[in-house]
């Protein structure tokens, strides 16, 4: 739902991966953002209207993305799709970060556009400790990109995991994703993506942004 720049890009990306796609927008002119060879279904209407959703084929859908410009419309559409049509794979774009957290706790995955953009800009300016990349539907488990003090370079990941109480999900090394083992040694310029409980975020940041404690 929503054929703005994000919606159009998402629809075309899904189609290029071999998926059949339907795009809903209340403004028929919005479909001009789609490439001329786009083969998906274009439905004019409100994305939270049941008849519109049915016309778009929601009953046979694998997933639904609400990416219009309105928070209220996105969350309403996401709830209708999940609660009325039973679609499990639903995500909503939300501009208000506080509301995004509330809906995340209600089990509706959200993308908080403003907060995500701000984090990405700040990360390129300053060390930030940990930046959210994903949370489970309960909001309790967090996957984050974690800044690591240079003192951890040259140490095996198991040392980092034991000290901070995290599990390193993967590394980004020179632009490539790496699935590490506990024996993998952290190198300079590695980007660490770690899993941990959201309540432990402050401890994780404090531990990893400082040099490891030297024990006798």
């Amino acid at each position: 739902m929503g054929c703005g720049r994000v919606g159009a890009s998402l629809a075309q990306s899904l189609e290029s991966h071999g998926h059949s796609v339907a795009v809903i927008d209340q403004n028929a002119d919005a479909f001009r953002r789609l490439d001329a060879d786009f083969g998906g279904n274009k439905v004019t209407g409100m994305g939270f209207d049941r008849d519109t959703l049915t016309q778009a084929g929601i009953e046979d859908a694998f997933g639904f993305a609400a990416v219009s410009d309105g928070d209220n419309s996105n969350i309403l559409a996401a709830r209708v799709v999940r609660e009325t049509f039973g679609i499990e794979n639903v995500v909503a774009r939300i501009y208000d970060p506080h509301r995004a957290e509330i809906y995340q706790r209600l089990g509706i995955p959200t993308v908080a556009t403003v907060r995500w953009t701000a984090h990405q800009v700040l990360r390129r300016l300053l060390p930030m400790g940990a930046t959210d990349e994903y949370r489970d539907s309960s909001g309790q488990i967090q996957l984050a990109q974690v800044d690591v003090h240079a003192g951890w370079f040259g140490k095996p990941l198991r040392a980092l995991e034991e000290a901070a109480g995290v599990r390193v999900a993967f590394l980004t090394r020179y632009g490539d994703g790496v699935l590490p083992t506990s024996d993998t040694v952290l190198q300079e310029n590695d980007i660490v993506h770690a899993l941990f409980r959201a309540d432990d975020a402050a401890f994780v940041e404090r531990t990893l942004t400082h040099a490891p404690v030297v024990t006798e």
Side-chain angles (χ1 to χ4, degrees):
M1 182 189 81
C3 196
R5 284 172 291 184
V6 171
S9 177
L10 179 61
Q12 289 169 175
S13 178
L14 286 167
E15 188 178 60
S16 70
H17 283 81
H19 299 286
S20 55
V21 184
V23 185
I24 300 171
D25 201 289
Q26 59 182 329
N27 180 7
D29 289 338
F31 299 128
R32 294 178 180 175
R33 292 189 176 92
L34 297 166
D35 290 342
D37 60 353
F38 177 73
N41 191 11
K42 305 169 189 175
V43 180
T44 303
M46 304 297 291
F48 48 80
D49 177 75
R50 296 183 186 185
D51 291 338
T52 300
L53 288 165
T54 300
Q55 183 182 349
I58 193 64
E59 294 172 336
D60 299 317
F62 176 80
F64 177 81
V67 291
S68 76
D69 290 334
D71 282 7
N72 290 335
S73 297
N74 287 343
I75 204 62
L76 179 57
R79 293 193 64 179
V80 168
V81 167
R82 169 161 295 180
E83 296 169 12
T84 302
F85 294 96
I87 306 301
E88 294 184 2
N89 298 306
V90 175
V91 63
R93 179 174 70 173
I94 303 295
Y95 286 95
D96 184 338
H98 301 294
R99 296 173 73 186
E101 291 176 3
I102 293 171
Y103 292 120
Q104 190 83 21
R105 294 192 187 101
L106 292 175
I108 299 175
T110 60
V111 177
T113 305
V114 173
R115 181 174 59 189
W116 184 87
T117 303
H119 274 314
Q120 293 301 308
V121 172
L122 285 170
R123 176 161 287 282
R124 285 157 176 77
L125 293 174
L126 302 167
M128 289 297 294
T131 300
D132 257 6
E133 295 182 316
Y134 173 80
R135 292 203 186 196
D136 76 314
S137 59
S138 71
Q140 296 177 9
I141 305 300
Q142 179 176 353
L143 173 65
Q145 179 179 323
V146 185
D147 288 320
V148 177
H149 189 277
W152 291 99
F153 298 156
K155 296 188 178 297
L157 290 182
R158 65 172 176 272
L160 181 152
E161 292 178 327
E162 291 172 0
V166 304
R167 181 174 300 171
V168 177
F170 66 99
L171 301 173
T172 302
R173 180 171 288 174
Y174 301 114
D176 293 327
V178 176
L179 290 175
T181 68
S182 59
D183 293 325
T184 299
V185 174
L186 191 66
Q187 299 180 10
E188 186 176 1
N189 299 318
D190 281 352
I191 298 174
V192 176
H193 307 265
L195 286 163
F196 50 87
R197 293 187 61 84
D199 291 344
D200 296 334
F203 173 76
V204 172
E205 292 181 11
R206 186 167 60 252
T207 301
L208 297 183
T209 56
H210 291 79
V213 176
V214 178
T215 57
E216 296 295 338

